[in-house]
Amino acid sequence: MKILAQRETLLPPLMQVTGVVERRQTLPILSNILINARQNAITLTATDLEIEMTTTVEAECSEEGAFTLPARKLMDICKALPSGSELILEISNERATLRSGKSRFSLGMLPAADYPAIEPTPAEQVFTVEERVLKRLIQKTSFAMAQQDVRYYLNGMLFEARPGMIRVVATDGHRLALSEKAVDLSPDMDIQVIVPRKAVLELGRLLEDEERPVKIELSSNHIRFRLDSTVFLSKLIDGRFPDYQRVIPAESKNELVIDRETLRQALARASILSNEKYRGIRFHLQPDVLQLQAHNPEKEEAEEELTVDYSGSNIDIGFNVGYLLDVLGVLETDQVVIGLNDANSSALITGEDEEGDRYVVMPMKL
Amino acid sequence: MSPVEKGTAHVLLPWHEAAWRGLQEAREKKRLPHALLLVGPAGLGKTHMAEGFAQSLLCDAPLAEGRPCGACKGCHLFKGGVHPDFIRVQPEQASKSQEITVGAIRELVAQDAFTSQFGGYKVVLITPADQMNRNAANSLLKTLEEPVPDTVILLTASRPHRLLPTIRSRCQRILFDPPAEEVALAWLEARVKHADARLLLHLAGGMPLAALALDDAALLEQREAAFRTFSGVLAGAREPVGAAAELARLDMGLLLHWIADWISDILRLQQAGAVGRLANPDHHQDLQRLAEQLDCIPMHRLLERVYMARGLERTTANPELMLDDLLVACREYAA
C-alpha cells in the first residue's frame, strides 16, 4: 500500500491525536496510532484506554487497509521535515517506510487487529451543542474537579442535559462549580453522566471558540463528541455524582457586592503571607468595609481593607484563598456577588447579573 | 509461573475442572462474587486458571462450560495482552523486593472507576496478591469493599497468611489442593521430556506445574552438582566456604528449597527408616548414608537455619554471605 500526504495537512491532526498517547505506556501498542487508509483519506486514531481521538486527513491511498505506527516517532519525523514536504508512506508486510525527498525512514509496525480501539456502540441519546458553548461550560468549571480522590466519582465532571438546558458541575468536596446554558434540546432529554477528568481537560484544549455544532452521542459506556473531522470519545465514570443541589445555598442572608479585579488583587497580595499548606484567609466583614487578614507560622501578617457594597451583619469567616482566586479567575463580570449566611456555612459566589455560573466555597475554621 | 501452554485456546488443567465448573455455574446464575481469592501452594496453576477465567468473562461467544472461544475480538485482544477491560497487576520485573507497590494499586483503582470498553465485565487480576505491600493492600480495601458494578477482581495467593485479614475477609476463597498423584502423573507424562515424571513430581512436592518447570536438563544437572557439594560439606569432605562460593551461582530460592528437602529427607530416614516417602527418591542411597552418619538434633537445628535463610530471600541480604553462614553451620552441626 502506498499513501501520499502533504506535511502541512498531516502534521496538525497528527499532533492533536498524539496528545492522547501517554508517554509512559504499559502496553506497547498504546504508544502507536491506528491508521485506517481509505480512498482519498486516512483516519488517525489514538487511545490511552480512557479516551480516544480519531481524526480524518486528506491523503491519496493506493488501496484500503489498516495498520499501526509509533505515534511519537512519526510525529517527530513529520515535525522535523522541512515545511512543504510531500510524504510517501509505503506499507509492506512487516515494515513501513516513510519517504520525503531524499529522506527515508523505516518504522516498526504492529497489526491493527491488536489495537484496542473502541467499537462504535449505538448511541442511545444524541444532541447538538455549539462548540463555543461547550468550551465555555468546561472553562468555567473544570478547575473544581477533584484529582485522584478516593471518591472516584469526583474525579470528573457531571454533564447534565435536560429539556431546554445543559449543565455541568464539578466538585472536589471543598468547593463546587456549576455552569449552565439554555439550549434547545428535545423534551424527553434526561442525561446525567460523569466524564473523567482527563477527558474534560483534553476536550477543553480541543474545542475552539467557534459557532460550529458539536454532536454529542451517549451510550451506556461512552460519550462521543463529533467535531468537524475529529471524533473525541471517552469512557464514563461508573458511579453516582453527589446531590449537588443540596450543596448550593438556597438563599443568602447577607450579600456582598465587590469589584472583581480589586478583590482578586487584594487576595493575591494577602495570600503571599498565608499558611502555605492551608492557605487560610480571614474575611472580617462590616457594613461597607471588608478586611482581609492572612498570617503564617512565621508570624508574618498581611492585612487589606476594601470598600464594598454591604449592609448585612458583621461576619468573621475564613476561606482557602486558592479556591477564591480560582473562582475570581473564571468569572467575567466587573462586579461579583458573594452570598453569606454565617461563619459556618458555605459562600455562594456569582457574577453580578450572571445566573448561569454559580460557585460554592466551603469556609474553613481559622 | 509461566502459562502452561501458549496455544490458540485456553487449556483447562484437569485438576481445575471442578473449580471451573463452580465458577461458571455462579456466572450463569448471575451470582458471581466480585472478588475471588485463589489460594493454594505455588505450582498448581492458580494464575493460569485466573487468566482462563478472565478470558472466559471477556470472550464474546464462550463455548461449552464457558470456555473462551479463542477467536473473537475479545479473545484476540486478551491473548495480545491489550484487552482494555482487563487489568493485570503484578510485581515489576526489575523490582528487587518483588512487591506490588501502592502506586500500581492506585493506578488500578483509578482505572477501575471507568465504564468498561465493550460493555461487559471488567476483570482485574492481582497476582501474586500476597506480594502486595501493606500500603498497596490498604489502598485496595475500598475497591474490594464497594466494588464498581460488573467488575470481577481475581487475586492469587500461595501464602494467604501474608494477606491482610481485611483483604481475605472481603474475597470469596477458592482452595487449590495438589491433585491426586495419578492425575498429575498422567498430565505430566505427556509433557516431560528430560527426566522421569514421577521423580519430578516428587521433587516438586506434588505440584504438577512446579514439576514441569524442573524438566530442564541443565537445571537437573545443577541440582545433581549442588547435591554433591552439599552432601560433601555434611560428610566433612568439602570445605564450606569454597562450597558456598560454588553454590552462590544458583538460583537462591530453588537452592534453599532443595537444601530444605535434602535435610528433611535425612530426618525422615533417621526417624522412620526407609518406609517413608522421600522428596528425593533418586538420592536415597546417599541420604541414607548421611542419615546414619549424622545426629538428628543438629539436623533439626540446621533445618531451622535453612528456613530462616528462606525468610531472608528477596531482602537485601547478601546471598553469598548467607550461604557461607549456612554451610559453616552445616559443618559445625555435622561435626
Side-chain angles (χ1 to χ4, degrees):
Chain A
M1 189 194 330
K2 206 168 171 182
I3 298 171
L4 208 81
Q6 300 301 321
R7 176 183 179 271
E8 268 55 47
T9 48
L10 183 64
L11 190 55
L14 188 59
M15 283 166 73
Q16 195 178 53
V17 296
T18 306
V20 171
V21 177
E22 295 230 28
R23 277 182 191 279
R24 204 175 60 89
Q25 217 37 270
T26 39
L27 304 177
I29 198 155
L30 290 184
S31 54
N32 281 19
I33 53 169
L34 175 66
I35 300 178
N36 260 302
R38 279 178 287 141
Q39 273 294 300
N40 40 22
I42 53 174
T43 57
L44 310 172
T45 305
T47 181
D48 67 348
L49 295 185
E50 188 181 326
I51 54 181
E52 180 182 296
M53 203 186 294
T54 304
T55 183
T56 308
V57 190
E58 262 178 51
E60 284 172 42
C61 310
S62 66
E63 56 186 294
E64 301 198 343
F67 53 93
T68 77
L69 290 179
R72 223 161 273 282
K73 289 175 195 156
L74 182 62
M75 182 188 77
D76 287 344
I77 291 172
C78 289
K79 237 195 231 170
L81 284 170
S83 53
S85 314
E86 186 165 73
L87 310 174
I88 303 165
L89 191 60
E90 258 177 284
I91 308 296
S92 64
N93 299 334
E94 292 284 288
R95 299 207 75 77
T97 315
L98 181 72
R99 275 177 222 278
S100 173
K102 291 192 171 163
S103 314
R104 189 179 152 277
F105 307 88
S106 174
L107 288 161
M109 222 170 34
L110 288 169
D114 290 351
Y115 199 78
I118 296 171
E119 303 269 298
T121 41
E124 288 157 17
Q125 307 250 31
V126 182
F127 61 99
T128 351
V129 183
E130 241 177 60
E131 188 170 348
R132 59 175 184 186
V133 169
L134 196 59
K135 185 178 176 72
R136 184 176 182 283
L137 288 173
I138 290 174
Q139 261 179 353
K140 293 287 166 197
T141 53
S142 58
F143 66 87
M145 289 186 290
Q147 200 169 0
Q148 291 181 333
D149 200 300
V150 282
R151 295 163 295 178
Y152 56 88
Y153 44 83
L154 296 184
N155 301 326
M157 184 181 276
L158 179 75
F159 272 74
E160 231 181 35
R162 295 262 156 77
M165 68 120 200
I166 179 164
R167 177 188 286 155
V168 299
V169 187
T171 178
D172 63 1
H174 303 288
R175 32 88 178 264
L176 177 145
L178 177 150
S179 183
E180 59 191 18
K181 179 83 182 167
V183 284
D184 210 12
L185 295 180
S186 75
D188 59 342
M189 183 67 62
D190 182 21
I191 292 173
Q192 223 191 3
V193 292
I194 311 173
V195 180
R197 181 186 167 86
K198 183 173 178 193
V200 172
L201 297 178
E202 200 62 45
L203 195 60
R205 266 198 289 276
L206 179 67
L207 294 171
E208 308 270 352
D209 217 359
E210 307 267 356
E211 282 177 36
R212 290 178 299 202
V214 178
K215 194 166 159 201
I216 301 177
E217 299 173 4
L218 201 78
S219 68
S220 55
N221 299 316
H222 300 106
I223 189 164
R224 186 183 284 124
F225 300 85
R226 280 187 194 278
L227 287 80
D228 266 354
S229 57
T230 306
V231 181
F232 182 82
L233 193 144
S234 167
K235 289 188 181 179
L236 299 171
I237 290 183
D238 213 349
R240 269 178 63 88
F241 203 75
D243 181 6
Y244 61 88
Q245 300 281 13
R246 289 214 325 227
V247 177
I248 301 172
E251 57 161 5
S252 311
K253 283 186 230 140
N254 306 299
E255 274 195 352
L256 145 80
V257 183
I258 185 170
D259 183 69
R260 182 174 61 93
E261 196 50 33
T262 315
L263 178 63
R264 201 186 66 76
Q265 286 174 3
L267 284 173
R269 282 192 298 268
S271 71
I272 298 168
L273 296 186
S274 68
N275 185 320
E276 273 171 39
K277 194 166 169 209
Y278 303 108
R279 307 207 71 198
I281 194 157
R282 189 189 297 276
F283 276 51
H284 184 61
L285 200 54
Q286 288 161 306
D288 292 332
V289 180
L290 169 64
Q291 264 185 338
L292 304 177
Q293 265 180 352
H295 61 87
N296 62 14
E298 287 89 53
K299 301 254 185 288
E300 293 161 322
E301 273 187 17
E303 269 186 35
E304 292 273 348
E305 197 170 298
L306 305 169
T307 332
V308 294
D309 182 359
Y310 183 69
S311 53
S313 48
N314 288 6
I315 295 181
D316 249 340
I317 188 168
F319 290 107
N320 180 322
V321 66
Y323 294 166
L324 295 177
L325 287 170
D326 280 346
V327 173
L328 295 173
V330 294
L331 281 171
E332 287 159 29
T333 54
D334 290 339
Q335 303 280 313
V336 295
V337 183
I338 304 179
L340 297 165
N341 281 315
D342 56 58
N344 297 318
S345 39
S346 314
L348 175 67
I349 308 175
T350 52
E352 200 182 34
D353 303 322
E354 171 65 71
E355 287 295 303
D357 308 324
R358 271 169 280 167
Y359 302 92
V360 179
V361 179
M362 286 215 318
M364 63 194 285
K365 277 215 164 70
L366 288 177
Chain B
M1 191 63 50
S2 62
V4 187
E5 270 139 282
K6 284 199 173 138
T8 42
H10 174 80
V11 181
L12 196 55
L13 297 170
W15 56 94
H16 288 165
E17 272 166 19
W20 179 271
R21 272 196 295 272
L23 283 177
Q24 293 295 348
E25 217 167 278
R27 176 189 181 185
E28 269 163 42
K29 290 183 184 151
K30 307 235 174 287
R31 299 190 53 171
L32 203 58
H34 69 279
L36 286 165
L37 178 59
L38 280 58
V39 180
L44 284 177
K46 297 184 295 297
T47 306
H48 176 74
M49 159 102 173
E51 282 168 351
F53 188 59
Q55 191 182 346
S56 153
L57 289 176
L58 297 170
C59 174
D60 299 337
L63 310 173
E65 289 192 325
R67 290 173 199 238
C69 71
C72 65
K73 173 145 189 183
C75 285
H76 184 79
L77 290 173
F78 187 90
K79 280 181 291 175
V82 292
H83 199 293
D85 293 333
F86 178 67
I87 309 171
R88 188 191 181 105
V89 182
Q90 56 191 21
E92 277 181 37
Q93 259 170 7
S95 135
K96 193 167 182 187
S97 64
Q98 285 295 301
E99 276 181 348
I100 295 178
T101 58
V102 64
I105 296 292
R106 284 203 184 125
E107 206 169 293
L108 153 75
V109 170
Q111 272 183 48
D112 188 44
F114 301 121
T115 44
S116 80
Q117 182 145 335
F118 296 117
Y121 281 104
K122 278 182 292 175
V123 187
V124 176
L125 172 61
I126 304 179
T127 181
D130 48 24
Q131 282 171 29
M132 283 190 285
N133 65 27
R134 179 162 283 257
N135 296 336
N138 276 322
S139 57
L140 184 66
L141 288 176
K142 189 88 180 149
T143 306
L144 272 183
E145 188 171 57
E146 286 175 24
V148 178
D150 290 330
T151 298
V152 178
I153 305 174
L154 304 168
L155 300 100
T156 69
S158 51
R159 291 163 301 178
H161 57 277
R162 287 207 178 188
L163 286 168
L164 290 182
T166 37
I167 294 250
R168 269 179 284 163
S169 68
R170 281 167 169 81
C171 304
Q172 202 168 98
R173 224 176 293 194
I174 301 180
L175 285 174
F176 285 71
D177 288 321
E181 193 164 306
E182 318 79 78
V183 177
L185 274 181
W187 183 83
L188 262 182
E189 264 159 8
R191 287 161 181 83
V192 167
K193 293 188 190 76
H194 303 288
D196 175 40
R198 191 178 294 270
L199 172 65
L200 291 179
L201 192 64
H202 277 266
L203 290 182
M207 310 301 156
L209 292 198
L212 193 59
L214 287 175
D215 182 30
D216 173 337
L219 201 63
L220 289 169
E221 219 165 89
Q222 277 180 8
R223 171 175 170 272
E224 206 45 55
F227 180 72
R228 275 196 304 275
T229 312
F230 178 75
S231 57
V233 174
L234 270 188
R238 287 286 311 256
E239 166 271 329
V241 177
E246 200 174 295
L247 292 178
R249 284 196 298 268
L250 304 178
D251 175 72
M252 206 56 190
L254 208 52
L255 177 66
L256 289 176
H257 179 83
W258 287 339
I259 292 181
D261 270 358
W262 292 326
I263 299 175
S264 304
D265 273 355
I266 293 175
L267 283 165
R268 280 189 193 111
L269 288 166
Q270 283 171 340
Q271 308 293 323
V275 291
R277 173 189 156 138
L278 293 186
N280 303 282
D282 56 332
H283 291 138
H284 187 172
Q285 299 301 324
D286 300 302
L287 290 166
Q288 181 67 46
R289 221 170 299 127
L290 285 168
E292 283 159 15
Q293 208 174 8
L294 299 164
D295 211 9
C296 82
I297 293 169
M299 281 300 107
H300 273 292
R301 296 228 169 91
L302 192 56
L303 190 56
E304 228 166 86
R305 295 287 289 265
V306 178
Y307 287 151
M308 261 168 59
R310 275 167 79 171
L312 290 175
E313 211 192 314
R314 288 189 191 140
T315 61
T316 47
N318 180 329
E320 205 161 323
L321 287 179
M322 217 157 74
L323 268 183
D324 266 355
D325 182 48
L326 196 64
L327 291 185
V328 170
C330 281
R331 194 78 200 86
E332 279 166 8
Y333 286 133

